[in-house]
Amino acid sequence: MAQVISIANEKGGVAKTTTTAALGSILSHRGHRVIMIDLDPQADLTSGLNIDPEDRNIFDCVFNHKKMRATKVNDNLVLIGGSPKMKPALFEKASTEDKEYKLSPYGILRKRIKDVLDQTDFVLLDCPPNVDTVTMNALAASDYVLIPTEAHRYSINGAAEIVDLVDTLKEELTPGIEILGVLITRYRSSTAIHKQLAEELKETYKDLLFSNPIKENITLQEVSHEGREIVDYDEERQAQQLVKSKFVGIENYESIVEELLNRIK
C-alpha cells in the first residue's frame, strides 16, 4: 500500500513544488514507484515538467468522474497534472450535489485516489499555498505531511498553521496522519537572520526538523525552467562534463530522501 505524503505550507514561495518534483525524481530513480499529483491551480509542477496542463488532469478525475490518467515522467514516476479549475468552492458544491461525494467536502480526493494506492509506493501531493478545501482534501487523504519553510518569519508562521491543522485533523478527521518533518528551504548560511531563524526552528520542532536544509541554488531553478526532472538533469550535466560532481541542490534533496525513508520505516 502506498504512503501518501502532502507537501504543504500556508505560505507561497517556500519550494513546495520544487520539493515535490525533487523527491519524486530521486525516489523513482531509486526504484520506488511514485505518483505525483498537482493540486495547485497554478499547475507549476505540471508546467515545470513540460507537461500540458490541459491534458487529462486531476480536475477531470475529481469533478468529471473520469478515470485517473497520469503522464509518464520516467519508468517509475508519473504525474497527474494540475488545472486552474481546481477551486475550493467546487469541493463544497460537490459535497452537496454529487451523490458520490455527499456528506463531506474533505473526503473527496481520498475517495478518488484510493484505487491507485496498491499500484504505487508513494503518492506525493503538491498543495496550494493556503489551507482551503483543496489542501484540506490533501491532508485528509494523507498518511504524512512534509512542511517546507524558508528561514523567514512569514514562512515559519505558515508552517505553524499546518502543524496546528494536522493536530486538529488527527482528532476529528484523519487519526492516522503524522507530520513527516519540517524542511528548511532556500537557505543561505552566510545570512545571519537565516542562521538565527534556523536555530529557532530547531528549538521549536526538535527531531521533526530535517537535519540538513535545502540551500539556495540557481540550478534548482534551471531544472524547472528546462522542464526536466532533477536526476536526469544532473546526470546530463555530468555526462557532458560541464561539472565534475553533483550540484548542491540534488545532494541536499538526496539527504532528505534518506532521512524521509528512515522516518517512514
Side-chain angles (χ1 to χ4, degrees):
M1 183 69 72
Q3 302 290 339
V4 182
I5 305 172
S6 280
I7 294 83
N9 188 318
E10 188 178 21
K11 179 74 171 59
V14 299
K16 289 188 298 294
T17 297
T18 299
T19 298
T20 305
L23 297 181
S25 180
I26 294 168
L27 284 166
S28 66
H29 280 270
R30 292 187 178 197
H32 300 284
R33 298 167 299 166
V34 183
I35 297 173
M36 300 185 299
I37 302 180
D38 189 349
L39 295 174
D40 191 338
Q42 297 178 76
D44 287 340
L45 179 60
T46 305
S47 59
L49 288 168
N50 204 26
I51 293 169
D52 185 354
E54 290 303 313
D55 287 346
R56 179 80 63 82
N57 52 54
I58 190 62
F59 175 85
D60 291 325
C61 170
V62 172
F63 296 108
N64 293 333
H65 294 272
K66 293 184 178 179
K67 185 177 180 181
M68 192 172 287
R69 187 173 72 187
T71 301
K72 179 179 176 180
V73 179
N74 65 44
D75 287 345
N76 286 325
L77 177 64
V78 298
L79 170 72
I80 298 170
S83 169
K85 300 176 184 177
M86 200 71 170
K87 303 296 185 182
L90 293 176
F91 286 89
E92 303 284 352
K93 183 179 180 181
S95 68
T96 59
E97 298 180 2
D98 191 317
K99 291 181 180 179
E100 186 174 345
Y101 298 144
K102 64 182 180 179
L103 298 180
S104 173
Y106 302 136
I108 292 175
L109 183 64
R110 179 169 56 190
K111 186 176 182 67
R112 294 304 294 166
I113 70 172
K114 67 178 183 179
D115 292 339
V116 303
L117 296 182
D118 61 350
Q119 302 171 28
T120 190
D121 300 313
F122 292 95
V123 177
L124 305 180
L125 305 177
D126 184 25
C127 298
N130 50 54
V131 288
D132 65 18
T133 313
V134 180
T135 299
M136 288 290 289
N137 263 266
L139 297 178
S142 295
D143 301 298
Y144 296 99
V145 185
L146 190 156
I147 308 172
T149 180
E150 286 186 272
H152 187 287
R153 184 63 62 196
Y154 295 154
S155 302
I156 291 171
N157 291 343
E161 290 287 339
I162 297 294
V163 171
D164 290 344
L165 182 57
V166 169
D167 287 341
T168 301
L169 286 173
K170 284 177 71 71
E171 294 178 2
E172 300 179 4
L173 187 64
T174 315
I177 192 171
E178 299 288 347
I179 296 173
L180 185 57
V182 177
L183 172 63
I184 300 175
T185 60
R186 305 179 70 177
Y187 181 69
R188 295 188 295 276
S189 58
S190 60
T191 306
I193 189 63
H194 275 211
K195 288 183 177 180
Q196 177 187 328
L197 290 173
E199 284 300 317
E200 286 186 22
L201 283 163
K202 186 173 183 179
E203 174 133 354
T204 300
Y205 294 111
K206 298 180 173 58
D207 291 343
L208 281 178
L209 188 70
F210 279 94
S211 301
N212 297 308
I214 305 299
K215 296 177 181 176
E216 184 75 77
N217 187 275
I218 189 63
T219 310
L220 289 172
Q221 297 178 37
E222 293 173 359
V223 172
S224 58
H225 178 74
E226 295 288 333
R228 305 285 299 281
E229 57 162 310
I230 191 172
V231 174
D232 283 350
Y233 188 81
D234 184 64
E235 289 177 348
E236 184 177 294
R237 290 167 78 247
Q238 293 185 64
Q240 293 176 349
Q241 298 183 330
L242 298 175
V243 291
K244 294 182 180 180
S245 61
K246 295 180 178 182
F247 71 93
V248 171
I250 193 169
E251 289 182 336
N252 291 165
Y253 274 113
E254 285 180 336
S255 170
I256 299 307
V257 166
E258 290 286 351
E259 197 165 350
L260 178 154
L261 291 172
N262 286 331
R263 292 184 181 200
I264 287 177
K265 288 178 183 178

